[in-house]
Amino acid sequence: MGPKGSFDRVLKLLKEHHKWSQETVNLIASENVPSPAVREALVSDFGNRYAEGAPGKRLYAGCKYIDEVEFLAIDLAKEVFGAAHANVQPVSGVVANLATYTAFTQPGDTLMSLSITCGGHISMGKKKFGGTAGSVHGLDVEYFPFDEEAMNIDVERAREKIKEVSPDLVLFGASVFPFPHPVKELSDVASDCGARIAYDAAHVAGLIGGGHFQNPLEEGAEVMNCSTHKTLPGPQHGMILTAEEDLKEIIDRSVFPGVVSNHHLHSVAALAISLAENLEFGEEYGSQIIKNAKSLGEALYNRGVDVLASEKGFTSSHVILADVTDHGLGGEFERKLEDANVIVNRNLLPWDVREGRHYDNPGGIRLGVSEVTRLGMEEEDMERIADFIGRVVIEDENPEIVRKDVEKFARDYSKVNYCFESETEAYEYINIHS
Ligand code: DSN
């Protein structure tokens, strides 16, 4: 292809991706579409600069505007989450978790977290699975006992296990996170056993900011870590919030020089913008996300898809998990649905490994509604989406035929909502080069 051929090809693929995005229904629970203002910050010159160290005490010159933006981001984060201190420098949620491991534990210590099969994230995982906690920080990982009916940590058994293994750090939070975790119920026993308490809010940060999900800092967690691009529709970045001011020094030092050098300053600016948007629009956005997630759960369930936790209203967040084993397997449906322009994740069910299934083709699919809600969709639109999914999963209709209807439906939702107004469309390709 040659250098120019490759150069042109990359730009063409970017444009094609943008066009395709406008014709898809994206239900990836960990994604979202940022506002045009967030995208503007991400292409700014901040992305080309260095600002190691704390704002006002940098190791680099040239940071006067960067410092002011980082102070603003910190103040906004404290206000949104009611935190005593915010560190906005982790470049991702994994890095935020790693900084917390660095602050609170030594290699060889014990972490208690949720297993991946029960919704835990790879950054909380054991060494034998390549998880960050085990393989990067050398922690022994013990899992929370899990109630598979309730799709949540089993409080009584967790209390016993905490007493038995005496973990050094307890980390709540998950990547399949339909219901609030029992932070209040388990914090005392964990502290009594000498454990530090943290909470990974990557998936639910925007809901917490909007006042629609438990605020772990008010329930006993000492720190709340998160990525910043899921229900909080900001840049791909990370952040750590603390309940008390006296954790500032150890958290800041664990982030820099612990786990970041430069901290992606364009992302800090974009994060400040998305936090301001959360203050203004987060309450309304979070409320609609939860209504949509419950509606999608119910609409699919009524069409014969086994959405888990039906007795509990399917979810109290942005995400639902469906067992598709009556009709096929998750990997197979992930591919078919993508052919129909409906983008979902295949996902392990808590009992999949026991039943001999593997992550490559597990029994579940995970569906999140943050992005479709951001595009302005409401409860009746969830019925339409459930129809598309039902046609592929239950009726085994040819995905190519379903795709035509999905494309037409998706094109009607082209603006980003719950942000300060802009004429720029959600998936508009912004041409700088030519
Ligand atoms: N693995 C991502 C998710 O989809 O939940 C989070 O990093």
Side-chain angles (χ1 to χ4, degrees):
M1 198 181 284
K4 186 62 168 62
S6 303
F7 173 96
D8 289 339
R9 179 78 185 138
V10 172
L11 290 172
K12 184 164 182 293
L13 290 170
L14 287 170
K15 285 177 192 153
E16 282 176 11
H17 173 85
H18 275 250
K19 182 173 174 296
W20 185 53
S21 297
Q22 181 56 73
E23 295 168 351
T24 63
V25 167
N26 188 316
L27 299 171
I28 301 286
S30 49
E31 295 181 4
N32 210 325
V33 58
S35 67
V38 164
R39 288 173 65 198
E40 185 169 323
L42 287 174
V43 295
S44 72
D45 183 65
F46 272 30
N48 310 318
R49 303 299 149 201
Y50 263 82
E52 287 177 355
K57 293 183 219 150
R58 303 292 194 188
L59 276 71
Y60 285 76
C63 297
K64 61 182 177 181
Y65 298 108
I66 291 164
D67 276 1
E68 188 173 342
V69 167
E70 189 164 331
F71 278 128
L72 267 169
I74 291 169
D75 286 346
L76 285 160
K78 285 162 65 175
E79 188 177 349
V80 168
F81 299 105
H85 174 59
N87 186 302
V88 296
Q89 298 189 343
V91 295
S92 70
V94 171
V95 169
N97 280 347
L98 190 51
T100 294
Y101 303 153
T102 306
F104 288 161
T105 64
Q106 298 294 323
D109 282 354
T110 301
L111 168 75
M112 187 173 286
S113 61
L114 212 48
S115 70
I116 291 170
T117 48
C118 295
H121 187 251
I122 46 167
S123 60
M124 312 166 178
K126 293 191 185 210
K127 182 172 181 170
K128 67 174 175 184
F129 302 124
T132 314
S135 53
V136 181
H137 200 63
L139 295 175
D140 288 327
V141 180
E142 292 282 347
Y143 296 139
F144 281 118
F146 195 71
D147 180 337
E148 294 177 359
E149 284 271 297
M151 284 300 289
N152 208 337
I153 294 167
D154 183 318
V155 178
E156 283 318 311
R157 288 195 294 136
R159 198 170 272 141
E160 291 315 307
K161 188 157 181 188
I162 289 170
K163 287 186 202 154
E164 185 193 314
V165 305
S166 203
D168 300 283
L169 174 64
V170 166
L171 178 60
F172 295 96
S175 286
V176 178
F177 204 172
F179 301 106
H181 278 174
V183 181
K184 230 185 270 171
E185 292 83 345
L186 295 174
S187 286
D188 285 352
V189 65
S191 302
D192 289 349
C193 293
R196 308 304 298 258
I197 302 164
Y199 182 105
D200 183 335
H203 270 261
V204 291
L207 300 178
I208 296 171
H212 292 287
F213 208 78
Q214 69 188 147
N215 185 332
L217 300 176
E218 292 168 3
E219 297 192 2
E222 296 170 88
V223 300
M224 176 181 122
N225 307 329
C226 58
S227 54
T228 59
H229 49 268
K230 298 183 169 76
T231 52
L232 180 72
Q236 292 218 346
H237 195 69
M239 163 168 76
I240 304 177
L241 293 312
T242 74
E244 303 294 341
E245 172 72 22
D246 62 6
L247 288 174
K248 176 180 183 326
E249 200 179 320
I250 187 162
I251 289 295
D252 286 357
R253 193 168 165 69
S254 299
V255 175
F256 176 85
V259 293
V260 297
S261 157
N262 196 31
H263 54 282
H264 303 182
L265 313 169
H266 53 319
S267 301
V268 173
L271 174 59
I273 288 168
S274 57
L275 289 166
E277 289 170 353
N278 186 278
L279 275 177
E280 186 79 11
F281 307 101
E283 199 281 323
E284 198 192 345
Y285 178 44
S287 162
Q288 192 61 49
I289 286 179
I290 294 169
K291 281 192 242 171
N292 284 354
K294 284 177 174 293
S295 299
L296 182 61
E298 191 171 356
L300 283 167
Y301 192 77
N302 291 341
R303 283 162 178 77
V305 179
D306 183 10
V307 183
L308 303 188
S310 56
E311 300 79 40
K312 294 175 70 181
F314 308 103
T315 185
S316 300
S317 72
H318 62 304
V319 68
I320 56 176
L321 188 62
D323 177 345
V324 292
T325 52
D326 283 347
H327 314 282
L329 284 169
E332 184 188 313
F333 286 128
E334 182 188 82
R335 285 189 295 278
K336 282 189 182 172
L337 285 165
E338 178 166 339
D339 288 342
N341 275 14
V342 177
I343 315 297
V344 308
N345 282 120
R346 66 185 186 277
N347 209 96
L348 283 167
L349 302 169
W351 48 88
D352 263 351
V353 173
R354 233 168 35 227
E355 296 185 359
R357 285 186 288 272
H358 181 265
Y359 177 69
D360 285 340
N361 205 4
I365 53 173
R366 184 184 71 164
L367 312 170
V369 299
S370 314
E371 183 153 342
V372 291
T373 306
R374 185 90 156 140
L375 295 171
M377 294 188 200
E378 298 187 346
E379 290 93 317
E380 61 273 17
D381 301 303
M382 299 304 113
E383 293 282 345
R384 296 286 313 278
I385 293 175
D387 270 338
F388 299 138
I389 295 173
R391 285 166 62 186
V392 174
V393 172
I394 310 271
E395 291 155 36
D396 199 20
E397 193 175 330
N398 182 347
E400 307 287 326
I401 303 207
V402 180
R403 189 177 69 209
K404 293 191 175 32
D405 294 334
V406 174
E407 282 174 359
K408 194 161 170 299
F409 170 75
R411 277 193 212 106
D412 283 343
Y413 296 89
S414 60
K415 297 293 272 189
V416 183
N417 292 265
Y418 309 102
C419 65
F420 297 104
E421 258 188 51
S422 162
E423 285 308 307
T424 308
E425 298 208 329
Y427 303 103
E428 194 171 318
Y429 186 82
I430 299 170
N431 211 328
I432 296 178
H433 160 71
S434 59

